[in-house]
Amino acid sequence: MDDSVFHHLYDAYHHDVFNFLTYLTKDRQLAEDLSHEVYVKAIRAYSAFEGRSSEKTWLFAIAKNVSIDHFRKKKVRSKYDATFFDWDKDDLKAIDKTPEQQTLENEVMRSVLEKLDLCTLDQRLVIIMRYFNDLSIADTAEVLGWSHGKVKTTQHRALKILRTKTLAELERGEPNGSQTRR
């Protein structure tokens, strides 16, 4: 792979790959490390890239495999909620909103991320790819190596869990998943 191809892949997709890994790991530093590993693997495997999928889909498949390998190696699958993304310091998107709008969005995002812990790893992968990274069902299926039906079913089950938890919190009077403090 020549430098121009690497720079093209990095410039075009780094932000998306990094966001995907950040949402999945909830650790900005770990996401950065895994992101570097994704590009190392991409450099090594680019000559075998056949172009049957988009470059973005191909990189997401590598990112998914890198993250799963990491979780397997560290044996943290059952307890990977140890750290959270620091919404006060770190920013994923350009700021075009008022501080109030940003705070509300951050609370909603934090609530969704907390609720994602109730889902299986497969369900989290689908939700993150579909809703956080705007991948289509076809692209998500390709990244995960699943059928379209399995992606749809997994997405449906994950959304049902998230919806049930949200409704239960609303019935208890807990806004956006946060406990009311007294």
Side-chain angles (χ1 to χ4, degrees), residues 100-112:
E100 293 82 14
Q101 289 171 321
Q102 243 185 312
T103 300
L104 180 61
E105 284 183 12
N106 289 345
E107 284 300 315
V108 170
M109 183 62 73
R110 189 181 328 258
S111 175
V112 170

Side-chain angles (χ1 to χ4, degrees), residues 43-57:
I43 289 169
R44 290 183 182 149
Y46 193 77
S47 61
F49 177 63
E50 298 173 352
R52 288 186 284 175
S53 64
S54 70
E55 291 172 333
K56 182 176 181 177
T57 303

Side-chain angles (χ1 to χ4, degrees), residues 7-19 39 54-57 59-60:
H7 289 295
H8 161 70
L9 289 175
Y10 188 85
D11 292 341
Y13 306 113
H14 176 70
H15 189 72
D16 292 335
V17 169
F18 178 74
N19 282 345
Y39 284 97
S54 70
E55 291 172 333
K56 182 176 181 177
T57 303
L59 284 172
F60 269 86

Side-chain angles (χ1 to χ4, degrees), residues 125-167:
L125 284 168
V126 169
I127 294 298
I128 290 168
M129 286 181 190
R130 294 278 295 125
Y131 296 101
F132 291 51
N133 295 105
D134 297 324
L135 291 182
S136 67
I137 287 176
D139 286 344
T140 302
E142 189 173 332
V143 168
L144 296 172
W146 296 352
S147 68
H148 292 189
K150 183 172 180 179
V151 170
K152 290 178 184 178
T153 301
T154 304
Q155 175 181 308
H156 173 76
R157 290 178 179 160
L159 291 174
K160 185 176 179 182
I161 290 169
L162 296 173
R163 189 176 303 116
T164 301
K165 179 66 174 167
T166 301
L167 290 174

